């Protein structure tokens, strides 16, 4: 008998304060939900939880859509699933780009064989919705894909009016709300968004690994048309269900199995046609995370995100730091700071992480080395985190030789929190 001993110590990750634009700290109640025993994927208790999750997601997405469920994979799996299921080779796809994640939409659409038309805005700004509406009516694309909250630049693209323009042009509007869902209003029905993709690891404070999506009957019609061309048995052994699809013009087959949302919706329908094996523990996490968001109340949750953002911004200003980007379109859950001249941004981040256990983010592409990005998202968006971060950042900057009025950031933040607390006690908004 050979005795085997593991060369590795028991897993024991460090406690961190995570103030990046995702992933952020996971709510302990979500972590607890993930530790429960698994159920079989066709156990009625489990399919009951799947149905409850769909209803919770409808409320979160502010929609009456029939379809609201997660794609198993990180947020981009949801984006890719929607785009690959909607875009037929040769389709014209219009993508307004104002940061890194617009390029992700472009890349995925190109891989789907689309004829992609883009317009670009300088990073740090967003599009005027009226300007986009005119482009859409002129270009008459089959699909418009747009990022709602651009984490690379910390900007929020207003969406009102764009859905109406898409309907006028006969286009489907797909929105990446990965960074905004659960932290900033995402009004799927009121804004006439045809398909929306959210993220778990940001404002919902659930680990990365699922992408909640919702889509309406305009999208479903296109899916069913593409399904009509399929023949015979599916890979899962089920007969293809073509009832009700005969009146639709046939489209080309969807070029993915895992990300084919016409098959995923069969799995999430009462028919429960088997597709993949559902991620039980992640579904528990999603159900609990979304339940917690709704229990807090969407309006209250959005207000909490704005409150801590306002204190953070005031504290940074008191330190003499300058924010990056156009203030009018600032994304409330991401704050971008210009790294002061002569300061090594990576060294400051390293001090924050190593000595204070606080993580903030660097940046991508043209902004690399120029800005830091701070997330105030979900469970990470709370008073103690903002105060710890302001104090630690001040210390790290002083240590790096930056001249600032010591103590003023935390003092400003404490005063603001006290005033907010007094107002709340008096019942004032
Ligand atoms: C706006 C936006 N879209 C898409 C993604 C991709 O998400 P994931 O890394 O979960 O695939 C991110 C991730 O940071 C994001 O911020």
């Amino acid at each position: 008998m050979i005795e085997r001993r593991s060369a590795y110590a028991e897993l024991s990750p460090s406690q961190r304060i995570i103030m990046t634009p995702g992933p952020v700290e996971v709510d302990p109640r979500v972590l607890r939900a993930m530790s429960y025993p698994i159920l079989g994927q066709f156990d009625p208790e489990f399919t009951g939880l799947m149905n409850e999750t769909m209803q919770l997601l409808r409320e979160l997405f502010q929609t009456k859509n029939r379809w609201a469920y997660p794609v198993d994979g990180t947020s981009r799996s949801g984006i890719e699933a929607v785009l690959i299921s909607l875009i037929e080779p040769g389709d014209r796809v219009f993508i307004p780009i104002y940061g890194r994640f617009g390029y992700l939409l472009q890349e995925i659409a190109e891989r789907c064989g689309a004829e992609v038309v883009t317009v670009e805005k300088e990073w740090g700004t967003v599009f005027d919705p009226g300007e986009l509406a005119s482009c859409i009516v002129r270009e008459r694309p089959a699909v418009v894909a747009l990022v709602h909250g651009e984490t690379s630049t910390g900007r929020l693209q207003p969406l009102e009016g764009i859905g109406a323009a898409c309907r006028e042009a006969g286009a489907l509007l797909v929105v990446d709300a990965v960074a905004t869902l659960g932290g900033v209003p995402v009004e799927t029905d009121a804004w006439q968004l045809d398909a929306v993709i959210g993220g778990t690891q940001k404002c919902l404070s659930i680990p990365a690994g699922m992408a909640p999506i919702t889509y309406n009957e305009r999208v479903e019609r296109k899916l069913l048309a593409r399904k009509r061309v399929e023949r015979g048995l599916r890979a899962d052994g089920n007969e293809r269900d073509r009832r009700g699809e005969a009146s639709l013009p046939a489209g080309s087959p969807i070029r993915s199995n895992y990300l084919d949302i016409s098959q995923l919706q069969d799995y999430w329908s009462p028919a429960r046609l088997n597709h993949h094996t559902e991620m039980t523990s992640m579904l528990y996490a999603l159900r609990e995370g979304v339940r917690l968001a709704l229990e807090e109340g969407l309006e209250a949750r959005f207000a909490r995100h704005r409150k801590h953002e306002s204190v953070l911004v005031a504290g940074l200003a008191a330190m003499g730091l300058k924010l990056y980007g156009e203030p009018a379109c600032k994304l409330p859950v991401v704050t971008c700071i210009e790294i002061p001249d002569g300061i090594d941004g990576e060294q400051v981040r390293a001090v924050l992480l190593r000595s204070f256990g606080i993580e903030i983010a660097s940046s991508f592409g043209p902004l690399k080395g120029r800005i830091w990005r701070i997330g105030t998202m979900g469970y990470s968006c709370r008073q103690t985190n903002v105060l710890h971060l302001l104090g630690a950042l001040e210390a790290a900057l002083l240590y790096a030789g930056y001249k600032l009025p010591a103590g003023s950031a935390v003092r400003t933040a404490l005063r603001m929190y006290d005033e907010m607390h007094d107002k709340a006690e008096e019942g004032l908004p």
Side-chain angles (χ1 to χ4, degrees):
M1 263 299 262
I2 301 170
E3 194 188 344
R4 280 187 164 271
R5 284 221 183 93
S6 171
Y8 299 99
E10 186 182 336
L11 185 66
S12 174
S14 302
Q15 284 285 344
R16 297 278 195 235
I17 292 175
I18 312 182
M19 303 294 280
T20 68
V24 303
E25 291 164 45
V26 173
D27 192 303
R29 291 166 289 184
V30 171
L31 288 176
R32 187 176 58 198
M34 294 181 81
S35 70
Y36 291 140
I38 68 159
L39 291 163
Q41 65 171 341
F42 295 113
D43 182 326
E45 190 175 326
F46 187 70
T47 53
L49 291 177
M50 289 172 74
N51 289 342
E52 286 175 11
T53 306
M54 289 179 86
Q55 185 48 33
L56 290 164
L57 285 175
R58 285 184 197 105
E59 289 174 38
L60 180 68
F61 278 115
Q62 304 191 54
T63 183
K64 295 202 167 22
N65 285 345
R66 175 174 182 205
W67 299 113
Y69 59 84
V71 175
D72 291 347
T74 68
S75 316
R76 78 184 56 206
S77 76
I79 297 173
E80 192 151 348
V82 168
L83 292 181
I84 204 164
S85 301
L86 285 187
I87 299 172
E88 299 191 53
D91 272 351
R92 200 171 170 77
V93 175
F94 179 63
I95 305 180
I97 299 174
Y98 60 101
R100 173 195 166 174
F101 289 100
Y103 293 112
L104 175 65
L105 296 176
Q106 178 184 9
E107 189 200 313
I108 296 173
E110 280 170 356
R111 284 174 186 249
C112 296
E115 178 206 332
V116 177
V117 179
T118 61
V119 278
E120 297 200 27
K121 267 274 179 242
E122 192 190 338
W123 286 31
T125 65
V126 295
F127 293 90
D128 168 48
E131 171 193 350
L132 282 186
S134 316
C135 287
I136 291 163
V137 172
R138 188 182 63 238
E139 295 289 341
R140 304 203 81 77
V143 173
V144 174
L146 183 57
V147 176
H148 186 211
E150 201 20 285
T151 44
S152 63
T153 59
R155 298 301 105 186
L156 181 71
Q157 171 63 53
L159 296 177
E160 280 112 310
I162 298 175
C166 286
R167 289 197 184 183
E168 191 186 329
L172 293 171
L173 176 56
V174 176
V175 171
D176 166 346
V178 169
T180 46
L181 189 68
V184 174
V186 176
E187 300 187 22
T188 304
D189 289 357
W191 297 342
Q192 298 181 302
L193 314 180
D194 294 302
V196 185
I197 304 102
T200 51
Q201 75 273 27
K202 299 182 190 272
C203 297
L204 291 175
S205 277
I206 300 167
M210 269 192 171
I213 62 169
T214 187
Y215 50 86
N216 60 19
E217 65 292 340
R218 299 177 82 225
V219 167
E220 190 176 11
R221 224 172 296 134
K222 178 131 190 190
L223 297 178
L224 295 182
R226 298 190 74 181
K227 213 171 170 185
R228 219 188 122 202
V229 296
E230 297 175 341
R231 295 280 176 272
L233 286 183
R234 296 169 21 150
D236 57 22
N238 288 300
E239 193 70 52
R240 295 182 197 286
D241 180 3
R242 304 199 292 127
R243 276 168 305 165
E245 299 164 26
S247 60
L248 293 166
S252 62
I254 294 169
R255 294 183 178 190
S256 173
N257 171 287
Y258 193 71
L259 299 176
D260 175 347
I261 60 176
S262 78
Q263 290 197 30
L264 290 180
Q265 71 176 38
D266 286 343
Y267 179 45
W268 283 83
S269 77
R272 298 275 171 226
L273 296 188
N274 185 221
H275 183 253
H276 61 289
T277 308
E278 191 46 42
M279 293 179 173
T280 319
S281 306
M282 271 309 294
L283 188 86
Y284 293 167
L286 181 66
R287 183 186 174 283
E288 184 61 4
V290 179
R291 190 191 70 76
L292 287 168
L294 297 174
E295 185 180 80
E296 180 176 359
L298 289 181
E299 284 310 320
R301 195 172 174 92
F302 302 149
R304 170 166 63 84
H305 282 86
R306 283 196 306 273
K307 166 177 146 179
H308 295 296
E309 177 212 22
S310 69
V311 178
L312 174 68
V313 165
L316 295 171
M319 241 185 269
L321 294 173
K322 197 163 167 269
L323 297 194
Y324 163 82
E326 179 68 43
C329 54
K330 183 184 176 303
L331 177 58
V333 295
V334 180
T335 299
C336 298
I337 307 164
E338 293 189 1
I339 299 172
D341 284 343
I343 296 294
D344 179 340
E346 284 310 284
Q347 220 169 332
V348 170
R349 281 196 335 116
V351 171
L352 286 177
L353 188 66
R354 221 180 29 235
S355 305
F356 295 92
I358 300 176
E359 186 183 2
I360 65 168
S362 56
S363 48
F364 310 110
L367 295 178
K368 199 167 173 50
R370 282 185 47 205
I371 64 167
W372 292 303
R373 296 173 307 136
I374 296 178
T376 36
M377 294 176 154
Y379 186 69
S380 283
C381 178
R382 54 187 202 272
Q383 180 169 333
T384 47
N385 274 11
V386 170
L387 290 171
H388 284 142
L389 171 61
L390 288 172
L393 183 58
E394 183 184 285
L397 281 168
L398 283 169
Y399 187 58
Y402 180 66
K403 300 263 180 296
L404 56 79
S408 59
V410 174
R411 197 167 49 240
T412 300
L414 282 173
R415 194 175 305 128
M416 284 179 77
Y417 278 129
D418 275 350
E419 281 166 13
M420 287 171 182
H421 185 74
D422 292 347
K423 271 190 180 174
E425 289 213 323
E426 288 165 29
L428 297 170

